[in-house]
Amino acid sequence: MKLHLQIKMNEALFLRNPEGSELGKNILKHSIQLIFKAGFEAFTFKKLAEDIGTTEAGIYRYFENKHKLLVYLTAWYWGWLEFQISFQTNNIKDPTVKLKRVIKLLASAVEDDEQTSYINESLLHQIIITEGTKAYLTKQVGEDNKQQFFKPYKDLCAVIGKIILECSPKYKYPKSLASTIIEMAHFQTFFMNNLPSLTDFGKIKKEAEIIAFLNDIVFTSLKKS
Amino acid sequence: MKLHLQIKMNEALFLRNPEGSELGKNILKHSIQLIFKAGFEAFTFKKLAEDIGTTEAGIYRYFENKHKLLVYLTAWYWGWLEFQISFQTNNIKDPTVKLKRVIKLLASAVEDDEQTSYINESLLHQIIITEGTKAYLTKQVGEDNKQQFFKPYKDLCAVIGKIILECSPKYKYPKSLASTIIEMAHFQTFFMNNLPSLTDFGKIKKEAEIIAFLNDIVFTSLKKS
DNA sequence: TTATTTATGATAGTAATGCTATCATTTAAT
DNA sequence: ATTAAATGATAGCATTACTATCATAAATAA
């Protein structure tokens, strides 16, 4: 049996549901490829349309603008990652083991999981590293937040914060520590690959080092309290 | 005596030195105001020119494009901050006290310091929180890095990494911890003000809480090793 | 002092971006 | 078979992101 993982998306993110048609799925698929290749700044709906073989107007029927599309992709990613985490930490009793697992999932390269043919999770993960924060580092963050665009990110953060509290019920900063490890899993990866002198992994370039660093931060913080 | 703090800027960042003329200083001053007000995405040289009362072409004589201007502003900020840190931690012997001071400087609102009339450090600090990472989270990060655009950031990171090692000579991740506290000082501030459920300071909204969180992370990490 | 370089202002123009609108056609639902 | 919905094709328009040209003002060197 082929499981069909469908992530429930906030309907305010799109004009027409991209998962409901071939063109829509193509928009998702090719936008991931194009943002990955060109970067978000150089990414335009015109180029995307050419890639797909449709017209600009066709894209605009699905997404209001490229910002909404980026928010859609990041929301999809966080939803997918939360599912991966709940799936892969299921049946683990020891919260410490669970949290280690979470950190590994956050900082590891993702392999394309084939369940969703139109989303290449590996590429999407790399996009999130470089472009993910641009979804909320904007002037409209307040309105976007009111519309719940960042709920998947917040949910993930809450899940991780809970595991942190299970490890160490008296720890005072579970949510901030959660958002810190999420962001640092990405930033340290970006730095390692692009600005290596900002890290201690420049020579080795192994994600295992980043995982060790995050584990060190998290478990020394939690041991104390 | 009025001290005139001049930060030595990388000449590849500009076409004409903005600190060398009235128009140039106006570009710096008004770009900070306008980016703060409109956000970097909506910021254009046209609007900037109108604000200043000059023409678009006038701006282009100083900066190739708005990306370079942003990189210039961030580089200026990191250079300024490194000076602040070296100044304000001067004569402090105890590296632990020194590091606490650094964390406080990283996470505190900045008051405009009047030494540089054309740069409002308080506004610039707020810009760096929201827009700072966009200077390097781009496709051109490699070329920009080759041209040393991020040297001030790396230098600051190296300085903080050194203090970390003074506190705890065996600690394995001084540079990654340094880049982590720099970025988290900003991200936690942004989250606190805009996406408070990603932090534990939503209700209180005090930077003192962020400082306490960073201190907790840093000094538990260092105590152990 | 005049001559000359240099910075600015004013204006134009062009290709690309970020949309919106219209209408014909294909495809799907009733 | 009729109607509704999605797509394709084309047009158009305001803004953005530049580049170029020429005149003038200010600074500087001869």
Side-chain angles (χ1 to χ4, degrees):
Chain A
M1 180 195 73
K2 217 170 183 178
L3 247 171
H4 238 292
L5 167 63
Q6 267 269 22
I7 289 156
K8 171 101 184 87
M9 297 298 295
N10 184 330
E11 303 208 344
L13 281 171
F14 50 75
L15 299 171
R16 215 205 280 316
N17 187 352
E19 292 181 301
S21 72
E22 275 315 302
L23 178 56
K25 289 174 194 169
N26 267 321
I27 290 173
L28 296 179
K29 180 176 182 169
H30 287 87
S31 67
I32 289 170
Q33 291 172 2
L34 188 53
I35 294 173
F36 175 74
K37 201 172 128 200
F40 187 65
E41 280 71 36
F43 167 80
T44 69
F45 278 5
K46 182 115 189 276
K47 292 175 192 163
L48 176 58
E50 277 160 19
D51 264 28
I52 296 174
T54 182
T55 60
E56 225 183 328
I59 318 283
Y60 278 105
R61 288 187 184 114
Y62 283 84
F63 289 100
E64 223 178 302
N65 52 50
K66 71 176 189 169
H67 174 249
K68 283 264 173 72
L69 174 52
L70 178 65
V71 176
Y72 181 98
L73 292 174
T74 57
W76 193 97
Y77 179 79
W78 297 120
W80 176 81
L81 192 62
E82 193 193 329
F83 174 78
Q84 293 301 118
I85 284 175
S86 81
F87 191 81
Q88 301 225 24
T89 61
N90 190 28
N91 294 323
I92 298 178
K93 295 274 140 54
D94 185 345
T96 302
V97 177
K98 211 189 259 193
L99 188 51
K100 278 206 173 107
R101 199 73 213 256
V102 167
I103 288 170
K104 193 170 181 179
L105 283 166
L106 284 172
S108 293
V110 167
E111 70 292 10
D112 186 7
D113 97 354
E114 309 279 338
Q115 302 219 348
T116 43
S117 56
Y118 49 95
I119 300 221
N120 181 329
E121 286 85 3
S122 168
L123 283 189
L124 181 54
H125 174 242
Q126 292 174 264
I127 289 179
I128 300 300
I129 289 174
T130 309
E131 321 289 357
T133 61
K134 296 171 190 169
Y136 58 76
L137 290 175
T138 69
K139 275 285 152 189
Q140 335 130 55
V141 59
E143 298 130 63
D144 285 359
N145 188 34
K146 256 184 222 147
Q147 291 184 80
Q148 306 267 55
F149 290 171
F150 309 117
K151 189 165 182 298
Y153 186 51
K154 291 163 158 187
D155 287 350
L156 176 67
C157 195
V159 164
I160 296 173
K162 241 182 204 165
I163 300 174
I164 288 171
L165 276 187
E166 283 174 45
C167 289
S168 190
K170 285 177 186 162
Y171 182 67
K172 282 161 77 178
Y173 311 106
K175 289 188 275 183
S176 288
L177 186 59
S179 53
T180 295
I181 62 176
I182 293 171
E183 289 305 332
M184 280 309 114
H186 292 163
F187 272 83
Q188 294 293 319
T189 303
F190 184 88
F191 290 156
M192 178 174 80
N193 293 321
N194 297 286
L195 301 167
S197 69
L198 299 176
T199 72
D200 302 283
F201 333 117
K203 299 278 148 57
I204 314 175
K205 290 214 174 162
K206 277 259 163 66
E207 63 192 27
E209 292 291 308
I210 296 176
I211 293 168
F213 165 63
L214 293 173
N215 277 325
D216 187 84
I217 280 193
V218 168
F219 291 105
T220 53
S221 289
L222 299 186
K223 212 174 285 171
K224 191 201 72 165
S225 46
Chain B
M1 179 194 74
K2 216 171 185 179
L3 247 172
H4 239 290
L5 167 63
Q6 267 269 23
I7 288 156
K8 171 102 184 84
M9 297 299 295
N10 184 330
E11 303 207 345
L13 280 171
F14 49 76
L15 299 170
R16 214 206 283 313
N17 187 353
E19 292 181 303
S21 73
E22 276 315 303
L23 177 56
K25 289 175 194 170
N26 267 320
I27 290 173
L28 297 179
K29 180 176 182 169
H30 286 87
S31 67
I32 290 170
Q33 291 172 2
L34 188 53
I35 293 173
F36 175 75
K37 201 171 128 203
F40 187 64
E41 281 70 36
F43 168 80
T44 69
F45 278 5
K46 183 116 189 276
K47 292 175 192 164
L48 176 58
E50 278 159 18
D51 263 30
I52 296 175
T54 182
T55 60
E56 227 183 328
I59 317 284
Y60 278 105
R61 288 187 185 115
Y62 284 84
F63 290 100
E64 225 178 301
N65 52 50
K66 70 176 189 169
H67 174 248
K68 283 264 172 72
L69 175 51
L70 178 65
V71 175
Y72 181 98
L73 292 174
T74 58
W76 194 96
Y77 180 79
W78 297 120
W80 176 82
L81 192 62
E82 192 193 330
F83 175 78
Q84 293 301 118
I85 284 175
S86 83
F87 191 81
Q88 301 226 24
T89 63
N90 190 28
N91 293 323
I92 298 179
K93 294 273 141 55
D94 185 346
T96 302
V97 177
K98 211 188 258 191
L99 189 50
K100 277 205 174 108
R101 199 72 212 255
V102 168
I103 288 170
K104 193 170 180 178
L105 283 165
L106 284 171
S108 293
V110 166
E111 70 289 13
D112 186 7
D113 97 354
E114 309 279 337
Q115 302 219 347
T116 43
S117 55
Y118 49 97
I119 299 221
N120 180 329
E121 287 85 2
S122 168
L123 283 189
L124 183 54
H125 174 242
Q126 292 173 263
I127 289 178
I128 300 300
I129 288 174
T130 310
E131 321 290 355
T133 61
K134 296 172 191 169
Y136 58 78
L137 291 176
T138 68
K139 276 285 152 189
Q140 335 130 54
V141 59
E143 298 130 64
D144 285 359
N145 189 34
K146 255 182 224 149
Q147 292 184 81
Q148 306 268 54
F149 291 172
F150 309 116
K151 188 165 182 300
Y153 186 52
K154 291 163 158 187
D155 287 350
L156 176 66
C157 194
V159 164
I160 297 173
K162 241 182 202 165
I163 301 174
I164 288 172
L165 276 186
E166 283 173 44
C167 289
S168 189
K170 285 179 187 160
Y171 181 67
K172 282 160 78 179
Y173 311 105
K175 289 188 276 182
S176 288
L177 186 60
S179 53
T180 296
I181 63 177
I182 294 171
E183 290 305 334
M184 281 309 113
H186 292 162
F187 272 82
Q188 294 293 319
T189 304
F190 184 87
F191 290 157
M192 178 175 79
N193 293 321
N194 297 286
L195 301 166
S197 68
L198 299 176
T199 73
D200 302 283
F201 333 117
K203 299 279 150 54
I204 313 173
K205 289 212 173 161
K206 277 259 162 67
E207 64 193 26
E209 292 292 308
I210 295 177
I211 294 168
F213 165 63
L214 293 173
N215 276 326
D216 186 83
I217 280 193
V218 168
F219 291 106
T220 54
S221 289
L222 298 186
K223 211 173 284 169
K224 191 201 72 165
S225 46

